Structures are given as structure tokens and as C-alpha cells.
Amino acid sequence: DTGVSQDPRHKITKRGQNVTFRCDPISEHNRLYWYRQTLGQGPEFLTYFQNEAQLEKSRLLSDRFSAERPKGSFSTLEIQRTEQGDSAMYLCASSFGGGNEKLFFGSGTQLSVL
Amino acid sequence: DAKTTQPPSMDCAEGRAANLPCNHSTISGNEYVYWYRQIHSQGPQYIIHGLKNNETNEMASLIITEDRKSSTLILPHATLRDTAVYYCIVRGLNTGNQFYFGTGTSLTVIP
């Protein structure tokens, strides 16, 4: 399978714990995006990378959230001191970029904070 | 922020065409109209996009009005597997070239 893969698919954690998610994009894609989606809502943009550079962060991304893409390939999204409001589906997408950009999404990581 | 308006839900009979409308009255000349869909428990899937002209691919057709203030996604022969939430997105310089999803239209294909 050469699509976007995310790990884990599900994560249950207790409030206050740290969690880390991984995203492996389509190999030749230079852009990588993170979105968050809560029940009944569309995906909300969090941040994106062009190669290893993090070019934009949404104001939704609090200081407890950090994302990295160290070698311009896979990416990690870490949430420190999780809160119940962090419970959501975290989606990763990748693309070639450009004016006719198309995002290809993974299946997401469902986070439940108890 | 989303710049589109879609009906929250629609039904369509299996085998019939599904016509999903989208209003984007504030669209700018350099902004594209994109459609994605999301089947339950999966990530969004790209369907089609266009700037001015109507577009067709193996999944759907996109009809954009001449003034570009609205568009319609057409699934020519809806199947049960087309049941999903469909998102209409306007993307361009005015949106920072980001994809902002609204709440979409929940399409139910009825047997």
C-alpha cells in the first residue's frame, strides 16, 4: 500500500499524559499536513510542512502541541498534558503542493482522553 | 475559514444521479473549487476540482456557474458506497492556499 499511513489507529490515554502520533506520507510528496476532526465537524487545519520546514501553524495549535518532520519524510504530532478536549480524530495528509494541489489523507488516529 | 454553504443532508435513490449543491458567493478569481468526501471512519478522499470550466473524471462531474458563485457535484449513478459526507472547499491565495473544510453535506444513498 503506497497511501498515507498513520499509527496508531486508536489511542486511549488518561488526562495529563503525553501522546505521540506518527504519519508516513506518500513517499514522493513534499508537503505534509495535520488536521483535527471532532464529531459532526469537518477537519480543521492544524499545521503543515514543506519538506522538513514547518511553514504554518493554526491558532488552534496550542503550546501543548508540537509537530516535527525531521528528515522531510515521516512526521510526528505530540500532545503534552492531554486534556479531555483533545479527544478527536487526528488526520494526516500529504501532497505535491502547487496550484492544483490534491491532498491525500490517511485514515487518522482516534484519540480518546479519559 | 470555510467560505462555502452546503445543505446539511440529502438523500438519493440508488442508481440515480446525485446532485450536490454548493454556494461560494465570495469566491475570488484565483480560487479553485474542490470536492472531497469522507466515508465513516476514513480520511477524506479527493473527488474533483476546477477553476472556471466544468470538469469530469471517473468519479464525478463538477459544474461551476458562469459567475462562479455556486457549483454542483454530480455523481451520475449513485451507489450505496457513495453514502458519505461531501465537502465543498474553496482554495486559493485568499485562503492562504489552505484547505478549510466546513461541515459538508451528508449524502445517504437509499436502496
Side-chain angles (χ1 to χ4, degrees):
Chain A
D1 186 12
T2 58
V4 178
S5 63
Q6 293 188 244
D7 184 68
R9 285 282 279 133
H10 299 91
K11 179 70 177 179
I12 300 173
T13 191
K14 293 182 179 179
R15 189 175 53 189
Q17 298 294 305
N18 299 343
V19 294
T20 300
F21 311 139
R22 178 180 170 121
C23 171
D24 286 273
I26 294 172
S27 59
E28 59 267 32
H29 285 177
N30 55 9
R31 285 195 178 181
L32 186 147
Y33 294 77
W34 286 99
Y35 283 78
R36 179 173 65 190
Q37 185 173 26
T38 54
L39 197 62
Q41 302 297 314
E44 297 174 300
F45 168 77
L46 292 179
T47 187
Y48 91 97
F49 293 82
Q50 174 89 18
N51 300 313
E52 66 274 12
Q54 188 173 16
L55 296 187
E56 187 173 343
K57 292 192 289 186
S58 166
R59 57 183 180 274
L60 296 174
L61 208 64
S62 79
D63 292 343
R64 297 182 297 103
F65 288 69
S66 63
E68 294 182 344
R69 194 182 183 199
K71 297 182 180 178
S73 57
F74 74 92
S75 176
T76 58
L77 177 68
E78 180 183 17
I79 309 174
Q80 296 182 327
R81 305 180 304 281
T82 53
E83 302 172 355
Q84 288 185 326
D86 297 330
S87 295
M89 174 75 81
Y90 290 85
L91 292 159
C92 175
S94 69
S95 77
F96 283 116
N100 279 298
E101 184 172 10
K102 302 174 192 176
L103 299 187
F104 293 84
F105 283 83
S107 295
T109 294
Q110 180 66 53
L111 173 66
S112 298
V113 182
L114 304 178
Chain B
D1 294 325
K3 296 174 56 177
T4 62
T5 303
Q6 299 178 253
S9 63
M10 292 181 63
D11 293 338
C12 177
E14 188 178 17
R16 305 296 293 269
N19 297 283
L20 291 93
C22 179
N23 286 325
H24 31 79
S25 58
T26 60
I27 193 170
S28 299
N30 61 1
E31 291 180 317
Y32 287 79
V33 179
Y34 281 75
W35 284 83
Y36 279 77
R37 74 179 182 184
Q38 188 172 25
I39 296 169
H40 183 61
S41 297
Q42 297 182 21
Q45 175 191 24
Y46 168 82
I47 302 173
I48 199 167
H49 75 285
L51 184 62
K52 296 180 182 178
N53 299 322
N54 298 337
E55 302 287 344
T56 295
N57 62 20
E58 65 279 4
M59 289 183 69
S61 294
L62 172 61
I63 309 298
I64 303 174
T65 57
E66 192 169 344
D67 64 7
R68 302 210 323 125
K69 292 185 177 182
S70 65
S71 62
T72 301
L73 178 75
I74 301 172
L75 308 178
H77 305 287
T79 70
L80 299 179
R81 289 178 295 179
D82 292 322
T83 292
V85 177
Y86 288 77
Y87 297 100
C88 171
I89 301 163
V90 166
R91 174 186 179 259
L93 291 177
N94 291 346
T95 64
N97 281 321
Q98 294 305 333
F99 291 85
Y100 291 104
F101 291 75
T103 52
T105 295
S106 178
L107 175 71
T108 301
V109 180
I110 301 169

